[in-house]
Amino acid sequence: LDMFGERLKMIFAQYTKAINGMTVLLSIDVRYPVNCMIGIMKRIGIPKKLAFEAADLFKAQYGDEPRTAHDIYFGICETAFMLQYNGADGSKIVQAEENIARVYLSSEK
């Protein structure tokens, strides 16, 4: 039971860290979100066609008005779904998710 309590504290700490990271993303205002989103996806290796498809979806939802980094991050997360929808193999989907996670983790610094 003590071990369970310790592990539960570790899990709670990870959730707290994730919430703090999301709070940071919410505090970052981006003036040109579509350009920023495309630049980030290019940097992390999202295929160009997929990046522009996600950017078009983002622009359709939000327009070209300033947004938070949180909005951009969730727009980038759509690329993993798009890969699944398009029937990509598991390794490509996992690689995309890893690259997207790097965007989030770099926001914590």
Side-chain angles (χ1 to χ4, degrees):
L1 194 56
D2 290 335
M3 183 190 273
F4 176 77
E6 289 175 24
R7 301 287 164 109
L8 191 58
K9 287 178 186 177
M10 289 178 7
I11 291 171
F12 181 73
Q14 291 298 323
Y15 279 110
T16 302
K17 186 176 177 183
I19 289 170
N20 290 339
M22 287 293 169
T23 304
V24 169
L25 290 177
L26 284 166
S27 69
I28 301 170
D29 294 321
V30 179
R31 206 183 248 173
Y32 302 104
V34 176
N35 291 342
C36 179
M37 184 178 176
I38 291 170
I40 291 169
M41 289 189 289
K42 180 179 179 182
R43 187 171 184 171
I44 64 171
I46 300 292
K48 193 180 270 190
K49 180 181 176 190
L50 192 62
F52 282 106
E53 189 177 336
D56 286 342
L57 178 62
F58 182 88
K59 191 170 183 177
Q61 289 174 336
Y62 299 111
D64 208 13
E65 298 295 316
R67 304 300 302 179
T68 66
H70 180 268
D71 297 327
I72 293 169
Y73 173 73
F74 275 104
I76 293 170
C77 288
E78 286 293 319
T79 59
F81 171 75
M82 290 175 183
L83 282 171
Q84 291 173 354
Y85 182 78
N86 292 333
D89 62 57
S91 63
K92 285 186 180 182
I93 295 168
V94 169
Q95 183 61 49
E97 289 172 346
E98 293 276 334
N99 291 344
I100 293 166
R102 284 190 312 172
V103 171
Y104 173 73
L105 294 174
S106 68
S107 73
E108 293 180 336
K109 294 178 182 175

